Amino acid sequence: MTTFRAAVERGDIDAAVALLAEDVEFSSPVVHTPYRGRDAVAPILHAVFTVFEDFRYVDEIDGGDRHLLGFRAHVGDRELEGIDLLHHDASGAIARLTVMIRPLSALQAVATAMRERLGG
């Protein structure tokens, strides 16, 4: 189990954020341009954990410096499934985090809820 997964599963989002490289690149399923830097990504991760209900990892694939974490959750009445794709740098920090979510109706619910939380 990855340390990121363990931090998320125990609800310690600060610990999950601490695992990100200072110059992490985060690709959101909602926004075209990636977010860059831990300071930019931290508020997004914190907001996600207020938006997702019944979040749980259901799968993990270890590819050395890459991990794929499959998850399921709810946003309101929408059930979703998705993946967190983590790329680690030589030090083990998460250099890139890509999130994908399906179906579209659930992704739209996520986007709406995130805009409300982040004021965008």
Side-chain angles (χ1 to χ4, degrees), residues 2-95:
T2 65
T3 306
F4 183 84
R5 177 179 179 170
V8 170
E9 288 182 332
R10 69 177 180 267
D12 190 348
I13 307 313
D14 289 332
V17 168
L19 297 168
L20 303 175
E22 192 65 40
D23 61 347
V24 66
E25 178 181 293
F26 171 67
S27 294
S28 163
V30 176
V31 179
H32 176 70
T33 304
Y35 295 90
R36 298 193 193 283
R38 187 185 301 145
D39 291 341
V41 175
I44 297 166
L45 291 183
H46 280 279
V48 163
F49 289 98
T50 65
V51 168
F52 285 174
E53 304 161 22
D54 190 29
F55 180 90
R56 65 216 176 273
Y57 284 117
V58 295
D59 201 5
E60 181 170 354
I61 300 171
D62 182 353
D65 65 344
R66 292 183 225 173
H67 284 90
L68 185 140
L69 301 170
F71 63 84
R72 292 185 182 268
H74 288 88
V75 175
D77 65 348
R78 300 290 179 193
E79 186 172 347
L80 63 89
E81 62 182 341
I83 62 167
D84 289 339
L85 179 58
L86 299 91
H87 291 82
H88 299 274
D89 63 19
S91 74
I94 299 168

